[in-house]
Structures are given as C-alpha cells and as structure tokens.
Amino acid sequence: MRRSPSIATPLAVIGASLVIAACGTGDSNSGDDGSSGGTSAGTVKGGPGVDVAAKTIRIGDINALTGPASALGKPVAAGHRAFFKALNASGGIDGWKVRLTIKDSGYQPQQHVQIYNAIRNKVALLDSFGSPPTKAIQALLDRDKLVTTPASFDSIWGADPVIAPVGTPYSYDIANALDYYTKQGKDKPKIGIVYQNDEYGQDGLRGYKAAKDKLGFADGGRQTFKAGDTEFTAQIQKLKTAGAKAVVVVALPSSTGPIVGTAAALGFKPQWILQGPAFLEQLITKDGSLNAKPTPVAAALKGALVTSFSAPWGDPGAPGMKELVAAHDKYEPGQPPSIYFALAYASSKVQAAILRKAIGDGDLSREGILKAKQNLGEVDLGGVSPSVTYTPDGGPPSTKSLITRIDPSVDGFLKPVEESYGSDVADGLGTGG
C-alpha cells in the first residue's frame, strides 16, 4: 500500500526576496512591520505578515541558496514558488493571496538567526531549511509563536507545537531501512555508519543505534565528519578494515559523492543505505536528467537503498504528481525534476491547509494560525509525500518510510521497493533530542 499523500538544480532567486502575489512583484505590506496590527476586517482577524484589507499573507523562507546544501536548497525554493504561483493563479486561499519572501542563510546557523530576527515580524508563516539552522532559531520560534515548516526531518520537531514537519523523522527512516535490509538475508550483517557531526547526523545515528540494539547486527564502525568536508579516506579505510557489509550514509550530497567515490577507489563496495538528504539526482548524471552523462560515482551508487521523502518524479501511482508536474512545467520549467522540489511542494500544501483553516476560523493572528495547525488533523498530500497529521498532542507526523533503490535507468533514478514500511525497531524513538 502506498504511503498516504501530502505536499514538499540551480535556479536563480531574483533579488533577496520573491513575491508571488497575483498583482505582480514587490515586497510591501501594510505597516512598517508587515503586520495588520492585529486588527480585523470582516470576520478575519489579522496579525504579523497579514494585510487584511488587501487579503494577502506573507510567508518567509530562510533557505540555503549558497553553501554546502545549495544543491538541495535551490529546488526547495523552486517548489515553494511553483506551488504558491499556481495557488494564486487559481484564486488563492478563499480569495487570499500569498506573498513568498526567500532569503539565503547559506546553511549557516548564525546567519539564519540574523535573517530570522530581520523578518520575524513581517511573516505569518515560515519555511526553514536544514536541521542545524532551524535548531538555531527554535527558541525564537517558540517565543514568537511562529508556525514553521522545516525542510528537515529531525525527530525533535514533533515535540514542538509551533513546528509543522512534513515527512518521517530521520531516526525512524534509518531504523525502518535497517530493519528492511537485515530481513533480506539469513545472516546478521556487519553494518557501519558515516554521519555528519551535527543535529542532522545525530538523528540518523539515533536510528542506527535503535536498530542495532533491537536487530542485533554487528557494529561495522561509526565514522563522523563535518559538513563541507571533502576528504574521507580515513573514514572509509576504517569501515573497510572493520568489514562492514553495509554502510549508512547520513550526509549532504556534496559529501555523499566523495564518500562513495573514495570507497570505490579503495575497492570497498558495501551496500550503501542513504538517508534521504544524502541523495540528489545530480549524483547520477551531471544535470540530474535521465539521458545526461553519468557521473564518476553513478555506477558505485547503483542498487543503493534510499529512504526517500517523496515519490519518484512523475510516479503514476501518486495521484498528486500530475498537479505537481503541471505546476513545475508552467512556473519553474528551468528546475530539473527533483525530489526536493516535490518535498517543498508538499510542504507548501500543508501551509496552505493551515492558512485555510485559520481563515475559516476567522483568525490569522499568530495565536490563530498556531491553533489551526495544532487542530488541523490529517492532510492528504496525494501520494507525493506521506500524509501528515497534526494534533494538540504533537508527535511525529508520520512513522513509515518510503524505501527506494537507485536505478540509473528510470526517471528520477529511484525505484520504490517498499512504499509504506514500518517496523517495531522504530518504536520508542519518540521525539528525540
């Protein structure tokens, strides 16, 4: 059975921000702070980032358009733009139009904080890219009661009432993937992990530890590195010497390529298991398209397992994929097909659902939007991403994993092998920390 639905390389962002209201570009609101001042017009109460008279709502997006995660941040920005352009063109949310302001923090937590402080009183909702940058502003989000959708799947987000994650937490994905992998053979394999030494990597490590404890496989080594590192000889040598038959990779794609390439050069050929953000279509071909020239690591990645957060591009089994591809082709045709575009499209659909409920409740204040998020219930994302559920009790929005295998012969290079895989291994992971 397919995972339930939900809506989540280079494209230039024009200027420091982009406005996609139907009336054209421009980045203005009523009032210097972007707020309606909490006044009400008709039956809808306003708040920061809401212009009640003009019926416009501003969403901020602090992204990674430069730096080590830019290959992911750019398609994420494109997915957000495409969704809201299409939404506004179809009449908006009950007649309300959305303005999207995109800022680049370069995947730098300190810069992320500075940008947040500059825009926090000018937006009604926020997108925040990456685990370390989002963790840097989490206390500020809680203080300001600003509902935020992270382009990140850290387990801790499920415990925070103002954060609206879209997707299965990293720790659950890794636990589920290792349960699936170990059940494919009769013997218990030796499994290692190489992970980025930050919040993102630590959550993947939690899933690895939970799986090892419950499945009893041998530890093939735990190697770490810093985001942006390009030299991995020492880590690979240790994993090879330990005799790891499979290796979990918790990295950005800019590190995945050197990790796999170094292993190939040293004659080390484990079963690779990539945590979602470690994969990027451009790891297989130069521009991420099916018929482009293969990369030097494409052959080594063939058959790797990937815990994907979005269905493969154009997947006919995902009812929402047709709408997504149409919006891509009309509004962002220069963006190569990408699961990161799909993730952002899904995230934007969740934001629209939150705003639609808040409008229906007559309250677009910070408190009203937060209440709408907490009482939203299930959002069906059309099979593009797993359905998400938000309740006052919190918790992970999804606990099952879409497990795919890299196949360079298909569009998007991912072929589903388990579309809604859950396991007892992930039980008890909770919301992490």
Side-chain angles (χ1 to χ4, degrees):
M1 188 169 105
R2 170 169 300 281
R3 295 173 90 176
S4 297
S6 174
I7 313 201
T9 261
L11 256 193
V13 174
I14 301 175
S17 63
L18 177 73
V19 177
I20 51 178
C23 57
T25 60
D27 198 35
S28 62
N29 269 326
S30 62
D32 293 338
D33 67 350
S35 169
S36 67
T39 59
S40 61
T43 59
V44 179
K45 180 181 180 181
V50 177
D51 187 330
V52 175
K55 295 188 73 173
T56 60
I57 303 167
R58 186 189 299 255
I59 294 178
D61 180 1
I62 312 179
N63 212 304
L65 305 177
T66 58
S70 61
L72 315 185
K74 290 174 180 177
V76 165
H80 291 315
R81 289 195 297 262
F83 178 85
F84 286 113
K85 285 177 180 177
L87 183 70
N88 286 336
S90 67
I93 305 171
D94 298 333
W96 291 73
K97 302 297 175 67
V98 174
R99 297 174 179 261
L100 181 63
T101 298
I102 300 176
K103 303 285 186 179
D104 175 29
S105 72
Y107 201 66
Q108 299 298 320
Q110 184 175 1
Q111 182 68 9
H112 216 78
V113 172
Q114 292 173 357
I115 293 173
Y116 176 78
N117 284 330
I119 69 171
R120 66 184 184 86
N121 289 325
K122 300 178 181 179
V123 297
L125 285 173
L126 186 71
D127 295 303
S128 180
F129 186 95
S131 297
T134 303
K135 184 68 178 294
I137 63 171
Q138 185 176 8
L140 303 177
L141 299 175
D142 294 338
R143 177 198 67 189
D144 296 336
K145 295 184 174 61
L146 178 55
V147 173
T148 297
T149 301
S152 159
F153 307 96
D154 198 305
S155 299
I156 63 174
W157 306 143
D160 193 320
V162 307
I163 296 184
V166 178
T168 300
Y170 297 125
S171 58
Y172 282 79
D173 263 347
I174 292 302
N176 288 335
L178 289 174
D179 182 73
Y180 168 80
Y181 170 68
T182 57
K183 289 180 178 176
Q184 304 312 300
K186 295 181 180 179
D187 299 325
K188 291 182 180 179
K190 182 175 284 189
I191 303 173
I193 183 172
V194 55
Y195 63 97
Q196 190 167 295
N197 192 17
D198 57 18
E199 288 86 350
Y200 163 53
Q202 288 295 329
D203 204 39
L205 181 63
R206 287 184 63 248
Y208 171 87
K209 289 179 177 178
K212 181 183 179 301
D213 290 344
K214 291 193 177 182
L215 298 173
F217 58 77
D219 192 331
R222 305 177 190 186
Q223 303 300 317
T224 188
F225 64 92
K226 293 185 291 186
D229 284 354
T230 57
E231 174 55 50
F232 296 96
T233 301
Q235 292 94 328
I236 295 301
Q237 286 282 23
K238 290 177 181 178
L239 290 165
K240 182 181 180 182
T241 300
K245 299 300 181 184
V247 174
V248 176
V249 179
V250 185
L252 298 174
S254 55
S255 296
T256 302
I259 288 170
V260 175
T262 299
L266 295 174
F268 182 47
K269 301 177 181 180
Q271 169 65 62
W272 296 108
I273 301 173
L274 309 185
Q275 186 162 286
F279 173 78
L280 180 71
E281 292 84 356
Q282 283 81 354
L283 285 169
I284 308 302
T285 64
K286 184 175 180 180
D287 67 1
S289 64
L290 181 61
N291 298 317
K293 183 179 179 180
T295 68
V297 299
L301 279 169
K302 183 178 180 180
L305 295 175
V306 181
T307 58
S308 184
F309 35 73
S310 296
W313 192 266
D315 182 358
M321 188 61 71
K322 183 176 180 180
E323 172 194 297
L324 181 154
V325 172
H328 166 271
D329 293 349
K330 183 172 183 178
Y331 297 109
E332 296 288 339
Q335 167 61 49
S338 172
I339 55 174
Y340 298 94
F341 179 101
L343 166 65
Y345 198 89
S347 300
S348 299
K349 188 171 184 180
V350 170
Q351 290 178 321
I354 293 170
L355 292 174
R356 183 172 288 109
K357 179 167 176 53
I359 291 168
D361 293 342
D363 192 352
L364 282 169
S365 67
R366 286 277 170 84
E367 292 78 9
I369 293 172
L370 177 56
K371 182 180 178 181
K373 177 262 177 182
Q374 291 179 295
N375 294 279
L376 189 60
E378 185 177 46
V379 182
D380 181 344
L381 300 174
V384 174
S385 289
S387 64
V388 291
T389 302
Y390 304 113
T391 69
D393 295 332
S398 174
T399 59
K400 294 186 177 180
S401 299
L402 169 58
I403 301 174
T404 63
R405 192 178 295 277
I406 293 179
D407 182 345
S409 70
V410 301
D411 281 326
F413 311 124
L414 295 177
K415 183 176 289 186
V417 294
E418 289 287 344
E419 297 186 340
S420 185
Y421 191 89
S423 70
D424 294 339
V425 175
D427 291 350
L429 281 170
T431 52

